[in-house]
Amino acid sequence: MAQRTFDSGERPPYHARAMANPLLDRVPPEDLADCGQVIETEEKIKNLTRLVEIIEADLAAVPAQLVPAKWRTAPVGIKLVFSWADGREEIPALQGRVAAAIAAVCQRCLEPCEIAVEIDLNMLLLRALPRSKDVESGFPDGEVWELAEDTIRPLDIVEEALIMALPLSPVHSSQDLCGPLADNVVSEKPDIVRPFAGLKLRLGK
Ligand SMILES: [Zn+2]
């Protein structure tokens, strides 16, 4: 008979909420904090439509035969843990990790490359800035994530985090992987401004 055991300290998965897909449902962040929602799953790049648009725009400059065929189906590893940041249960917090290999154009050789993006999430989900002093002292490492609406769709946060983590000047992880143009391009300064570069600076600290 099949038997599932859990190591001491490891808790069984949380299944209390009957949701079709907690990544896609739009709910108040307070609800997710209240039930301690944990989302551990894998998505595909192709389901992150704004990210896909950015990648497509990047790759448009590359000869089609060089574009990696399967970049859209590359996996996005997702772990999200919702909780309350404060004892008064006023500030929903989100911690977790997002990891993906994202296709981009190497700014050294102008050929497609794969950028490994790994983000540790540590966010306070707030509806309005400025934050109070209480927030800063109680959760000093949390990055304030300003919510535009009363509800969130967790996948949107994953996508936003990935977009903001994209390097401004992606390059192959080693110059050995670069194409023949690398020697010509290496001294030039890439002049690329991503649409979310400003946002990254604003939320950076
Ligand atoms: Zn390269």
Side-chain angles (χ1 to χ4, degrees), residues 42-62:
E42 200 173 275
E43 262 296 336
K44 300 251 185 286
I45 294 279
K46 65 179 179 183
N47 293 326
L48 305 175
T49 52
R50 285 189 305 132
L51 180 62
V52 165
E53 283 174 18
I54 291 171
I55 298 171
E56 279 177 343
D58 259 10
L59 295 178
V62 175

Side-chain angles (χ1 to χ4, degrees), residues 148-186:
E149 298 173 57
D150 288 346
T151 56
I152 60 166
R153 189 170 171 263
L155 187 63
D156 291 345
I157 294 180
V158 168
E159 179 169 38
E160 190 75 19
L162 280 171
I163 289 172
M164 290 198 297
L166 291 175
L168 292 175
S169 298
V171 289
H172 280 103
S173 54
S174 157
Q175 194 156 353
D176 296 341
L177 299 171
C178 279
L181 274 179
D183 293 337
N184 302 328
V185 181
V186 69

